[in-house]
Each structure stands twice: as C-alpha cells, then as structure tokens.
Amino acid sequence: MSWMAGPVAACLLACGGGGDGGAVPPPTKVDFDLVFDNEASDGSRSLKRAALDGSAVASVPNAINAVRPHARADGRALVYTSFSTDPLQVPTLMLLADFSRAATVLSSRADVYEREAVFSPDGRRVAFVSQRDEPQGSDVFVATLNGERMEDVRNLTPSASGAVSLDVTPAWSPDGSQIAFASNRDGSDFKLWVMHADGSQVRQLTTAGAYADVFPTWSPDGKLIAFQRRSGDRYRIGFLPATGGSPAFFEFDDNAYAPAWSPDGQRIAFVGRVGGEYDIHWRDASGSGPITRIANPGADRNPSWIKRAAS
C-alpha cells in the first residue's frame, strides 16, 4: 500500500507522482545529476557529482572545504558553505560561478557565521542564513547577485526585541514568491514556516509537538513541501501540502535526512544512514518503486540536483 493519503496523494498525482490508483507517467529523460558534500576519513570535505545510477562519481573542481551545495537552475553555478580547516575561522558563503576557476567569497562581513545559501529560481538572488544581526541566534537573509557580489542584503526574519531564535534551512518556492524555512521561534523545537519572499505574511506550517522539522524542499508545482522530521532518534522524510495540513511519510529501513525534490518532480533525493554509512539515495516521488543508493567512500550528505550541460 502506498504511503500517500488524502491531499498529499492528490497533489503528488497532479505533479506527476505515481501511487495507488494513479496512472504512472512514462519515464522521462534524465537531464540532471546529483551534487553533494563528502567527508573523507581524514575529515576533509569536498563536493562530489554523480549520475543517478551512481556512475562517474567525481569531485567538483575548485570547491574547497565545501558543504551544502545548491545549484543554479541552469546548472552552471553553485553556492556552498566553506568550513575552514582553521577552527578560529567561521563558515563562509562561496560562489562557484565558473567550474574552471576558483570560487569567490560571497559573505560580505568578516567573522560572521553564514551558511545554507540557495539560489532563487531565476538565479538572480540568494537566500541564506546569517548571524550578522543576531550573534546568539540566526536569521534568513536575501541578497541580489550582481556578478559575484551580494547587494541589497535584507534580513527577512529579524527577531523581536529581546527574543533569540534560530531561523535556518531556507528554500524558495518554484515561482520565487515564497520562502519556506525552519525555526524554533515558537519556543519549541524546529518547525516549518513559510513567508513571502519580502519577509511578510509569515505563517507556521507544522504544529507544536515532540519533533523537529527542517530542510524543506518544494515540489515543482509548488503544491507540496518535503522535509526532514526528527522524532527522538528517528529521522524520516515527510510531505505536506504547502498550505499546511497533516504530513505523510515514506518508508525507509533506517534514518533519512535532507530531502531534495528533482526539478522534473519525478524523484526525491535524500541522505540515508544504513549500517552507520551515510550515502545519497533517491526514489520515485510517489514513494513507490525501488530506492537507489549511490555508494561512495566517506560520508555523503546534503544532495542537490544539478542540470547537465547541453551536449
């Protein structure tokens, strides 16, 4: 029996997912690879890129000490966070605008912890997490990209006077009009929230409970949001309507983290921990069919879909 139910099932069928009672569309040509970060046994971190069948796993050139990559829609640029090997240095936002040369620093303030950058759908802006206005917490910021520089930097989630909260893991809606994120602003563990891309109309998506929800990712039609939920020591991938409602979860034998919805709406990539190993996995977005594991030495995390260059 499918894991889908109610409005979640209806939305998935509408955006191309399969499931019980729904016609499964014919497979589409795969025009995307997966890019993810890898931690080697010596603790060094780099970015890797792989085809969906797990073949041709290769290092992304010129991405040093890199984690949490996000690809621009055209596949020609990446943003990521660089963690220095110097423990006195803070993480820095980086832009790899040309794979043939070194990445450039995007962060505009020294000694400020900034991370989790994601391109807007049109590639003209980035959302990211920063502590520049809240050293004891963090906020979601948006900036316009002018070449390889950030301009018009705005804090979308400033805290109320005296309040300290963590706003993390931003994700743009497919039309660029909204941003989903995780926050502990309600005084509990992380829950999902969504706001307009100008920071207005903030609303809570997942309700209070003994769990933490992070890493939202939108379906390409904007109707569903997949996310990671932690309940005790268990991590699962959930789905709920972007307007709010009860989530559904797909089954996985062990812990599953950090989902990423493919641009064609057909697949969900995620991190699976099996037997102590962290590897990238993907499956049909309906939750049906086999799960493909991309086996690779080291610990692989934080998948992002990247478009292949036109041949």
PDB file of all heavy atoms in Angstrom, residues 17-29:
ATOM      1  N   GLY A  17       3.624  12.395  -9.747  1.00  0.00           N
ATOM      2  CA  GLY A  17       3.970  11.220  -8.959  1.00  0.00           C
ATOM      3  C   GLY A  17       2.995  10.105  -9.221  1.00  0.00           C
ATOM      4  O   GLY A  17       1.890  10.303  -9.708  1.00  0.00           O
ATOM      5  N   GLY A  18       3.403   8.884  -8.865  1.00  0.00           N
ATOM      6  CA  GLY A  18       2.523   7.751  -9.044  1.00  0.00           C
ATOM      7  C   GLY A  18       1.746   7.464  -7.794  1.00  0.00           C
ATOM      8  O   GLY A  18       1.310   8.347  -7.102  1.00  0.00           O
ATOM      9  N   GLY A  19       1.588   6.167  -7.479  1.00  0.00           N
ATOM     10  CA  GLY A  19       0.892   5.794  -6.257  1.00  0.00           C
ATOM     11  C   GLY A  19      -0.301   4.937  -6.555  1.00  0.00           C
ATOM     12  O   GLY A  19      -0.709   4.753  -7.698  1.00  0.00           O
ATOM     13  N   ASP A  20      -0.919   4.387  -5.524  1.00  0.00           N
ATOM     14  CA  ASP A  20      -2.064   3.509  -5.696  1.00  0.00           C
ATOM     15  C   ASP A  20      -3.207   4.243  -6.363  1.00  0.00           C
ATOM     16  O   ASP A  20      -3.586   5.335  -5.969  1.00  0.00           O
ATOM     17  CB  ASP A  20      -2.526   2.996  -4.326  1.00  0.00           C
ATOM     18  CG  ASP A  20      -1.490   2.089  -3.697  1.00  0.00           C
ATOM     19  OD1 ASP A  20      -0.508   1.748  -4.373  1.00  0.00           O
ATOM     20  OD2 ASP A  20      -1.677   1.727  -2.520  1.00  0.00           O
ATOM     21  N   GLY A  21      -3.761   3.649  -7.385  1.00  0.00           N
ATOM     22  CA  GLY A  21      -4.920   4.206  -8.045  1.00  0.00           C
ATOM     23  C   GLY A  21      -4.596   5.311  -9.028  1.00  0.00           C
ATOM     24  O   GLY A  21      -5.485   5.874  -9.642  1.00  0.00           O
ATOM     25  N   GLY A  22      -3.318   5.641  -9.217  1.00  0.00           N
ATOM     26  CA  GLY A  22      -2.949   6.724 -10.118  1.00  0.00           C
ATOM     27  C   GLY A  22      -2.144   6.190 -11.278  1.00  0.00           C
ATOM     28  O   GLY A  22      -1.354   5.262 -11.154  1.00  0.00           O
ATOM     29  N   ALA A  23      -2.333   6.772 -12.435  1.00  0.00           N
ATOM     30  CA  ALA A  23      -1.569   6.368 -13.597  1.00  0.00           C
ATOM     31  C   ALA A  23      -0.154   6.910 -13.482  1.00  0.00           C
ATOM     32  O   ALA A  23       0.047   8.089 -13.230  1.00  0.00           O
ATOM     33  CB  ALA A  23      -2.231   6.903 -14.869  1.00  0.00           C
ATOM     34  N   VAL A  24       0.830   6.046 -13.630  1.00  0.00           N
ATOM     35  CA  VAL A  24       2.223   6.463 -13.549  1.00  0.00           C
ATOM     36  C   VAL A  24       2.674   6.906 -14.937  1.00  0.00           C
ATOM     37  O   VAL A  24       2.570   6.151 -15.900  1.00  0.00           O
ATOM     38  CB  VAL A  24       3.109   5.307 -13.057  1.00  0.00           C
ATOM     39  CG1 VAL A  24       4.567   5.733 -13.015  1.00  0.00           C
ATOM     40  CG2 VAL A  24       2.636   4.829 -11.697  1.00  0.00           C
ATOM     41  N   PRO A  25       3.161   8.139 -15.067  1.00  0.00           N
ATOM     42  CA  PRO A  25       3.575   8.609 -16.375  1.00  0.00           C
ATOM     43  C   PRO A  25       4.802   7.860 -16.856  1.00  0.00           C
ATOM     44  O   PRO A  25       5.564   7.310 -16.053  1.00  0.00           O
ATOM     45  CB  PRO A  25       3.901  10.088 -16.125  1.00  0.00           C
ATOM     46  CG  PRO A  25       4.260  10.151 -14.675  1.00  0.00           C
ATOM     47  CD  PRO A  25       3.390   9.129 -14.009  1.00  0.00           C
ATOM     48  N   PRO A  26       5.041   7.816 -18.166  1.00  0.00           N
ATOM     49  CA  PRO A  26       6.227   7.140 -18.668  1.00  0.00           C
ATOM     50  C   PRO A  26       7.483   7.843 -18.181  1.00  0.00           C
ATOM     51  O   PRO A  26       7.472   9.043 -17.937  1.00  0.00           O
ATOM     52  CB  PRO A  26       6.076   7.262 -20.195  1.00  0.00           C
ATOM     53  CG  PRO A  26       5.186   8.445 -20.398  1.00  0.00           C
ATOM     54  CD  PRO A  26       4.245   8.423 -19.232  1.00  0.00           C
ATOM     55  N   PRO A  27       8.568   7.094 -18.004  1.00  0.00           N
ATOM     56  CA  PRO A  27       9.807   7.717 -17.532  1.00  0.00           C
ATOM     57  C   PRO A  27      10.251   8.835 -18.469  1.00  0.00           C
ATOM     58  O   PRO A  27      10.138   8.722 -19.690  1.00  0.00           O
ATOM     59  CB  PRO A  27      10.811   6.546 -17.539  1.00  0.00           C
ATOM     60  CG  PRO A  27       9.973   5.311 -17.491  1.00  0.00           C
ATOM     61  CD  PRO A  27       8.715   5.643 -18.228  1.00  0.00           C
ATOM     62  N   THR A  28      10.736   9.890 -17.889  1.00  0.00           N
ATOM     63  CA  THR A  28      11.228  10.997 -18.687  1.00  0.00           C
ATOM     64  C   THR A  28      12.742  10.924 -18.778  1.00  0.00           C
ATOM     65  O   THR A  28      13.404  10.305 -17.957  1.00  0.00           O
ATOM     66  CB  THR A  28      10.828  12.342 -18.045  1.00  0.00           C
ATOM     67  OG1 THR A  28      11.350  12.382 -16.709  1.00  0.00           O
ATOM     68  CG2 THR A  28       9.318  12.498 -17.995  1.00  0.00           C
ATOM     69  N   LYS A  29      13.289  11.540 -19.796  1.00  0.00           N
ATOM     70  CA  LYS A  29      14.729  11.592 -19.949  1.00  0.00           C
ATOM     71  C   LYS A  29      15.340  12.306 -18.753  1.00  0.00           C
ATOM     72  O   LYS A  29      14.866  13.360 -18.343  1.00  0.00           O
ATOM     73  CB  LYS A  29      15.086  12.329 -21.243  1.00  0.00           C
ATOM     74  CG  LYS A  29      16.580  12.440 -21.484  1.00  0.00           C
ATOM     75  CD  LYS A  29      16.863  13.233 -22.745  1.00  0.00           C
ATOM     76  CE  LYS A  29      18.368  13.407 -22.944  1.00  0.00           C
ATOM     77  NZ  LYS A  29      18.666  14.231 -24.145  1.00  0.00           N
TER      78      LYS A  29
END
